[in-house]
Amino acid sequence: MMKLRHKNKKPGKVSKGYKKNGKKATSKVASTLQFVHANDHASREAELKKKRIEAMREKQQVAREQERHRHRTIESYCQDVQQRQEEFKRKEEVLQELNMFPQLDDEATRKAYYKEFRKVVEYSDVILEVLDARDPLGCRCFQMEEAVLQAEGNKKLVLVLNKIDLVPKEVIEKWLDYLQNELPTVAFKASTQHQVKNLSRCSVPVEQASESLLKSRACFGAENLMRVLGNYCRLGEVRTHIRVGVVGLPNVGKSSLINSLKRSRACSVGAVPGVTKFMQEVYLDKFIRLLDAPGIVPGPNSEVSNYYGISEFQTTEHFLTAVAHRLGKKKKGGIYSQEEAAKAVLADWVSGKISFYTLPPATHTLPTHLSAEIVKEMTEVFDIEDTEQANEDTMECLATGESDELLGDMDPLEMDIKWLHSPMVKIADAMENKTTVYKIGELTGYCTIPNRHQMGWAKRNVDCYPRNVCPVDRRPMLQRIMETDPLQQGQALASALKNKKKIQKRTDKLASKLSDSMMSVLDLSGNADDSASD
Ligand SMILES: Nc1nc2c(ncn2[C@@H]2O[C@H](COP(=O)(O)OP(=O)(O)OP(=O)(O)O)[C@@H](O)[C@H]2O)c(=O)[nH]1
């Protein structure tokens, strides 16, 4: 053995730590072997234990599955599978539709939109689908309508034909005829004013408003829409509180519509798609709450080439390069920027500069998701015959231009609240805000810096200078308040009271200013007399 052990080693040399007689070395090797052996054993044990646990878990899972199957009938199983399949299909369809829109190319945004949309549908009793009057079918979303009709709670759908100021009257009429075959439809023009409060609303029905009047920044059709919603609130014996979801593609004017109904800037508005990102709730009055939803983004329209004077192009990219060339939109290095051109085209489309609209199809067929029964029910609950009449009246006025006389060339902001203003207030305004020039008899107020909220109005008045303000009695009239929609009477009274207080305050201020100036004039003359006598 010793011979063997030393066979491969140089004679006289031993490994480090080993004594020449080999005693200590032998015992150390033995303990090391024992240690390795124990380690091997422990790891094998652990491995076996792990395997046993895994096998046990698998067995438990199989047993649980078997138990579940035992309790589940074939019918319920099939139902469950079908339900899951339908849900999946619905989600796929909505996502596919959203896929068409370039701005929503990232999955997270699409999912976030879908989630917000489901929330709006879930919480609402009535859904207003806002359509751009220039291309109502192009921005109608059947999947969305289907989802609303399938949702629990017998939700109601109303179409709002917005931006009617951008389309000829005859075309709006045709669209109203067409859409009303399916769902209650209200013609609307949202306020496009920029101020924060007191957004003007014209009470002239849309059908009676002349095209030039519609071009003003005031809102049209709000009363009709409020009446339709009010009819729904009053449907039962007790007047109910309702939540109204406002949905539609981006930039169709959802937020503008809400602001116009609220008459203040409750939601952000912008000519860039995707301004609204999350659901937002706005209290309209005691009975109605509005829910603003984010929209989805349509691709640019190739029909706009005439507007830019581009005669021929092969692809969208060629078109955009030609637009960039026309508009002088260049990137660094002098390359024409397609992105900038695309933004400009979209901005022109949204702001209504591109003249484009579609006509309704000659014949009408009900889409698959709407049955004759649904059409009848929707028509009945909103008392649609009245709405049709109101739409017709608006169109009538639009054609005759009657309302121009009614409103004169006043600023939209002033139109609706003119009866609350007095000439004294205007002079006080002028002196206080330095906005415009007023002349009443011998009195003239000269103003230079326009107030932010009165910019447009002031400009008009300055253009007409010198302008005489007639002393018309425009105190708040109870009769007028009583004639407004009952839903609005509370607000009208509150605002009348507020305005009365404001008028009083301003009149007092003006009176004290006038008396001050008179005193100083008297003072001056007194001094002059004094100096003369000196
Ligand atoms: N001419 C005209 N412009 C309108 C009308 N309604 C809205 N607009 C304009 O259309 C643009 C988009 O309006 P928004 O109210 O922001 O549209 P939105 O649907 O809320 O848009 P997102 O928040 O992006 O979904 C704004 O520039 C509005 O001033 C309208 O009736 N007539």
Side-chain angles (χ1 to χ4, degrees), residues 425-439:
V425 178
K426 288 190 175 181
I427 306 168
D429 255 342
M431 290 174 86
E432 205 176 286
N433 301 323
K434 300 193 170 29
T435 52
T436 185
V437 180
Y438 291 103
K439 191 173 166 65

Side-chain angles (χ1 to χ4, degrees), residues 153-385:
N154 196 14
K155 296 174 193 298
K156 299 288 175 271
L157 252 171
V158 174
L159 301 178
V160 179
L161 199 60
N162 190 34
K163 303 200 183 183
I164 55 166
D165 54 317
L166 303 177
V167 176
K169 188 193 148 252
E170 318 79 67
V171 180
I172 302 170
E173 277 174 345
K174 281 186 185 152
W175 272 117
L176 285 173
D177 283 348
Y178 181 86
L179 295 168
Q180 269 163 358
N181 282 320
E182 295 172 18
L183 291 168
T185 311
V186 177
F188 200 84
K189 192 243 155 206
S191 161
T192 44
Q193 292 168 299
H194 299 299
Q195 72 255 29
V196 179
K197 283 204 243 166
N198 291 332
L199 295 180
S200 47
R201 182 193 289 176
C202 186
S203 49
V204 176
V206 180
E207 292 85 346
Q208 287 170 25
S210 68
E211 288 199 11
S212 63
L213 181 67
L214 277 176
K215 293 268 179 278
S216 74
R217 289 177 165 261
C219 158
F220 291 82
E223 313 237 317
N224 193 19
L225 186 53
M226 289 300 296
R227 200 182 45 75
V228 167
L229 296 176
N231 288 347
Y232 185 68
C233 289
R234 279 188 289 268
L235 202 62
E237 284 189 356
V238 186
R239 215 163 153 195
T240 43
H241 298 248
I242 56 166
R243 273 210 181 101
V244 181
V246 183
V247 301
L249 298 193
N251 273 159
V252 289
K254 298 179 295 296
S255 305
S256 302
L257 179 138
I258 292 178
N259 291 350
S260 305
L261 294 181
K262 178 80 182 163
R263 304 195 63 179
S264 66
R265 220 154 190 232
C267 306
S268 319
V269 170
V272 190
V275 170
T276 313
K277 292 186 176 64
F278 303 101
M279 182 181 91
Q280 192 184 339
E281 190 172 46
V282 174
Y283 279 70
L284 199 56
D285 59 31
K286 223 169 97 185
F287 293 97
I288 304 173
R289 276 187 245 172
L290 297 173
L291 299 178
D292 191 12
I296 41 177
V297 187
N301 201 314
S302 61
E303 302 275 339
V304 297
S305 56
N306 283 347
Y307 176 73
Y308 296 100
I310 295 159
S311 52
E312 273 183 33
F313 60 90
Q314 303 296 318
T315 61
T316 313
E317 285 74 27
H318 287 162
F319 168 72
L320 289 176
T321 312
V323 172
H325 184 263
R326 286 232 140 208
L327 303 178
K329 305 253 178 217
K330 284 184 189 171
K331 282 198 271 195
K332 264 187 190 169
I335 302 166
Y336 287 109
S337 165
Q338 290 180 358
E339 291 81 18
E340 288 298 311
K343 276 186 204 163
V345 172
L346 278 175
D348 285 347
W349 163 251
V350 169
S351 64
K353 285 189 193 145
I354 297 167
S355 173
F356 168 78
Y357 53 83
T358 54
L359 284 168
T363 51
H364 179 265
T365 41
L366 273 182
T368 46
H369 69 284
L370 287 175
S371 66
E373 242 171 40
I374 294 177
V375 172
K376 189 165 169 261
E377 194 192 337
M378 297 275 178
T379 311
E380 277 170 7
V381 291
F382 290 107
D383 200 355
I384 197 62
E385 268 161 34

Side-chain angles (χ1 to χ4, degrees), residues 95-113:
L95 286 179
Q96 245 174 30
E97 187 153 301
L98 298 180
N99 266 333
M100 289 157 48
F101 305 116
Q103 279 84 341
L104 292 172
D105 51 5
D106 84 90
E107 190 69 9
T109 317
R110 276 198 298 277
K111 281 196 176 150
Y113 164 72

